[in-house]
Amino acid sequence: MGASLLRSPAFLGVICSFVTLCLLAEPALGVTRHYKFDIKLQNVTRLCNTKSIISVNGKFPGPRIVAREGDQLLIKVMNHVQNNISIHWHGIRQLRSGWADGPAYITQCPIQTGQSYVYNFTIIGQRGTLWWHAHLSWLRSTLYGPIIILPKRGIPYPFTKPYKEVPIIFGSGSLPISPLWSIGEWFKADPETIISQALQTGGGPNVSDAYTINGLPGPLYNCSAKDTFKLKVKPGKTYLLRLINAALNDELFFSIANHTLTVAEADAIYVKPFETETLLIAPGQTTNVLLKTKPHYPSATFFMKARPYVTGQGTFDNSTVAGILEYEKPLNFHLSSNSIKNLPLFKPVLPALNDTSFATSFTNKLRSLASTQFPANVPQNVDRRFFFTVGLGTSPCQSNQTCQGPNGTMFQASVNNISFVMPTTALLQAHFTGKSYGVYNPDFPTSPLIAFNYTGTPPNNTMVSNGTKLVVLPFNSSVELIMQDTSILGAESHPLHLHGFNFFVVGQGFGNFDPNKDPTKFNLVDPVERNTVGVPSGGWVAIRFLADNPGVWFMHCHLEVHTSWGLKMAWIVLDGKHPNQKLPPPPADLPKC
């Protein structure tokens, strides 16, 4: 086979099962990378319990996507299970490719049993760690995996090149290959049954039985010592750890004993580096950190731990997941296997479960690089202003039924007191074809219809309204959105995720947002840019973004229970005047409802 063929984009557009090899051969321009996701059942054993889970290619967590900035991805998803399926590529901008965004009944109808769909999108202007996950009900508890976007060839990181990169997913599942770190949650019961029962009774769902690091619960749980994630490192090296919180319902503290971490990136955006012993990461968020190992073999091992940051009044999984950081011993260092087992094991001290002070301090340290190469293009002027309350509420119990929510009601959640009702057909298709009547209303309120003391004594009436209401934005309009937590049924932190955009977090605070005083303190120079932000418990957060991406874009709490209760809404961004500002027609294989 000739060298010219080896370098051709046509040849490189093969299915990259061995992605590293593909990356080594690529040309300077972006290439097309093909992946195949077979959705199928897989038996997995955790906590001495074997159950059948929905997986991608039989892996748990699922396979990693690796590409470079500028590459096109064609990912064929084939559904072999009885559940409807859709996959979201969390944090990918999807510029003019909204048909590939993935949330079921928002940008597509789900992929039905025996059907397939090719997600086709190009990575434009992004590099870093993102992730993919199912976007229908609670299926993402086992359907998720990392997306690693490398810089364009010849473009270095804005920090010292690491010796090795290690992905870590805090989630519900086990990466067959290191190095991504995900933290998730493991349920002995079927998560689909858990949320289905909760929605029927109106009460809170049962919590998870364990947290996991790369799918492994670790030694602090019963029957799990053999299922422990171990990171082996060499002395005197710098490692890039790619952290993903794939948990369903919990923000998490994370720390490695006796080691300092340098935060270098959040949600695939470089930040001004800062050191910390502990970091906070909300569901949906990703964080890249640099770990500099000790200069000499330490004759010890070190726990890495994660446990929840809790602000609400509901039940939660009050447990801790642990992995082990292990140093490779030098060749001239003689230790028996028994001696290795008896090495001192150091454990990190994590913040208290409700340490909002630490959470605030940590998030305030996040700042964009705002350099010439990586500018922070914060909208300085605002065309459209919005004020959204986010929080819990209730709805009446249906007649002839006993409900387990507050005072015999059913739990709900809302934005501006509207609990979002999922349509039965895809919103993007209804918008694109001009057949929105009976599907959605374009009259989502710009602020709460009834103002109240949002973080003070809650009103007696906690009932919410229901509807499928959207906001319509002209193309390229600059948007400022204030998201205000409420004290209804208890103040709580809410990690809000916006599809289709990154946004700048220009301000945050506690209590009620003051439209006269608080904007004077906004950071319009180097605010952190991300796709998922925590609305502080009993407080507010201000974001700005440019509506430069035509389509229909979901925004929702990434605590899955709150999304199930209705804490979600959507934005329509209209087409611009020019051809490159318009959404193309849908692909021929777009699933049908």
Side-chain angles (χ1 to χ4, degrees):
M1 187 177 293
S4 59
L5 177 58
L6 279 171
R7 287 193 295 268
S8 73
F11 175 79
L12 288 164
V14 298
I15 295 176
C16 289
S17 299
F18 302 98
V19 177
T20 306
L21 296 179
C22 292
L23 288 171
L24 289 175
E26 68 188 15
L29 297 176
V31 302
T32 299
R33 303 187 190 280
H34 295 252
Y35 286 85
K36 188 177 182 187
F37 279 18
D38 282 308
I39 311 296
K40 59 184 182 179
L41 297 177
Q42 178 71 32
N43 285 338
V44 173
T45 301
R46 295 289 184 273
L47 309 178
C48 277
N49 175 57
T50 300
K51 70 172 187 176
S52 180
I53 68 165
I54 299 176
S55 75
V56 171
N57 301 346
K59 297 177 180 179
F60 173 58
R64 55 182 182 170
I65 300 290
V66 182
R68 287 196 185 275
E69 178 186 347
D71 286 352
Q72 179 188 23
L73 290 174
L74 294 172
I75 305 168
K76 183 175 183 178
V77 177
M78 181 75 198
N79 185 6
H80 302 282
V81 301
Q82 293 304 306
N83 305 68
N84 286 342
I85 296 294
S86 73
I87 303 292
H88 170 52
W89 318 95
H90 186 112
I92 297 289
R93 283 289 319 271
Q94 299 291 2
L95 288 164
R96 298 181 62 240
S97 57
W99 304 107
D101 191 42
Y105 302 107
I106 306 297
T107 60
Q108 65 167 94
C109 298
I111 306 167
Q112 299 179 36
T113 306
Q115 302 298 308
S116 66
Y117 180 47
V118 176
Y119 290 91
N120 179 356
F121 57 90
T122 299
I123 301 168
I124 300 173
Q126 294 183 277
R127 80 294 304 165
T129 304
L130 296 170
W131 64 303
W132 59 264
H133 60 80
H135 212 301
L136 178 59
S137 188
W138 281 22
L139 293 172
R140 76 171 178 87
S141 64
T142 59
L143 285 175
Y144 64 87
I147 301 174
I148 302 174
I149 308 170
L150 301 174
K152 290 181 178 179
R153 182 164 291 283
I155 305 294
Y157 293 127
F159 46 79
T160 302
K161 184 178 180 181
Y163 169 73
K164 189 177 181 181
E165 301 185 16
V166 183
I168 302 178
I169 307 181
F170 309 145
S172 330
S174 129
L175 257 161
I177 46 175
S178 216
L180 246 130
W181 293 22
S182 61
I183 297 181
E185 293 177 272
W186 179 261
F187 296 80
K188 289 182 179 178
D190 176 19
E192 289 301 281
T193 302
I194 290 173
I195 186 55
S196 176
Q197 290 175 346
L199 294 176
Q200 288 175 10
T201 64
N206 292 338
V207 301
S208 57
D209 296 286
Y211 298 105
T212 61
I213 297 178
N214 285 359
L216 302 172
L220 302 184
Y221 294 102
N222 290 336
C223 199
S224 298
K226 69 182 192 316
D227 293 326
T228 300
F229 174 74
K230 293 184 179 179
L231 174 62
K232 293 191 175 182
V233 297
K234 295 181 178 181
K237 303 290 186 183
T238 298
Y239 292 77
L240 177 63
L241 311 184
R242 299 174 178 267
L243 309 175
I244 302 168
N245 186 347
L248 289 188
N249 293 309
D250 294 280
E251 300 183 65
L252 295 162
F253 294 120
F254 174 78
S255 182
I256 302 177
N258 292 22
H259 288 75
T260 298
L261 303 172
T262 301
V263 177
E265 177 193 301
D267 288 359
I269 297 290
Y270 297 130
V271 299
K272 290 183 171 70
F274 66 92
E275 292 185 348
T276 184
E277 293 182 354
T278 302
L279 59 90
L280 175 66
I281 182 167
Q285 291 182 338
T286 63
T287 306
N288 282 8
V289 297
L290 296 169
L291 166 68
K292 191 170 184 179
T293 58
K294 298 185 178 301
H296 306 291
Y297 181 71
S299 297
T301 54
F302 306 89
F303 259 166
M304 58 185 80
K305 284 185 177 182
R307 78 173 182 198
Y309 164 54
V310 182
T311 55
Q313 299 179 358
T315 56
F316 63 96
D317 181 351
N318 186 11
S319 66
T320 303
V321 62
I324 295 176
L325 181 72
E326 202 172 85
Y327 279 74
E328 294 183 16
K329 68 178 188 295
L331 294 175
N332 59 353
F333 202 93
H334 299 290
L335 271 179
S336 67
S337 57
N338 284 336
S339 298
I340 293 174
K341 291 180 182 177
N342 294 328
L343 287 175
L345 175 62
F346 291 95
K347 303 174 182 178
V349 177
L350 290 167
L353 291 167
N354 61 348
D355 195 342
T356 294
S357 175
F358 174 87
T360 305
S361 173
F362 178 82
T363 54
N364 283 340
K365 292 176 184 175
L366 293 165
R367 291 281 188 271
S368 291
L369 272 185
S371 64
T372 302
Q373 187 176 8
F374 302 104
N377 296 316
V378 189
Q380 299 296 309
N381 300 302
V382 174
D383 299 320
R384 300 288 301 275
R385 298 182 192 274
F386 299 88
F387 180 84
F388 290 178
T389 56
V390 294
L392 304 184
T394 58
S395 63
C397 193
Q398 297 177 4
S399 58
N400 303 321
Q401 183 181 350
T402 301
C403 291
Q404 299 174 5
N407 301 314
T409 63
M410 303 184 75
F411 271 115
Q412 297 281 285
S414 68
V415 182
N416 276 354
N417 206 47
I418 299 171
S419 185
F420 190 83
V421 177
M422 292 296 286
T424 55
T425 188
L427 296 177
L428 182 58
Q429 210 161 359
H431 162 64
F432 187 83
T433 58
K435 298 177 181 178
S436 62
Y437 182 78
V439 179
Y440 67 82
N441 290 310
D443 59 353
F444 192 90
T446 58
S447 60
L449 297 180
I450 301 175
F452 61 97
N453 183 3
Y454 305 114
T455 55
T457 303
N460 293 327
N461 182 6
T462 61
M463 296 292 175
V464 303
S465 61
N466 299 278
T468 310
K469 297 177 180 289
L470 281 65
V471 171
V472 179
L473 295 171
F475 181 81
N476 239 19
S477 52
S478 55
V479 177
E480 179 179 283
L481 169 63
I482 312 298
M483 291 183 282
Q484 171 76 61
D485 184 34
T486 78
S487 57
I488 296 176
L489 302 182
E492 188 168 356
S493 175
H494 299 278
L496 264 291
H497 171 50
L498 175 61
H499 290 226
F501 299 94
N502 284 339
F503 50 76
F504 292 95
V505 184
V506 297
Q508 63 179 25
F510 291 99
N512 296 338
F513 174 74
D514 186 328
N516 296 314
K517 295 181 181 178
D518 288 327
T520 63
K521 296 176 280 189
F522 283 177
N523 175 9
L524 303 180
V525 178
D526 64 348
V528 68
E529 181 182 354
R530 46 190 336 161
N531 62 61
T532 305
V533 66
V535 179
S537 176
W540 56 271
V541 67
I543 67 171
R544 288 187 180 184
F545 65 95
L546 188 66
D548 60 353
N549 195 7
V552 177
W553 304 107
F554 208 21
M555 190 177 81
H556 59 93
C557 183
H558 226 278
L559 300 179
E560 213 60 44
V561 59
H562 292 172
T563 301
S564 300
W565 286 342
L567 208 167
K568 47 196 174 186
M569 55 82 63
W571 308 77
I572 294 176
V573 178
L574 301 175
D575 282 347
K577 295 179 180 180
H578 305 293
N580 64 351
Q581 298 173 339
K582 299 179 186 296
L583 179 70
D589 64 339
L590 186 72
K592 295 178 173 56
C593 288

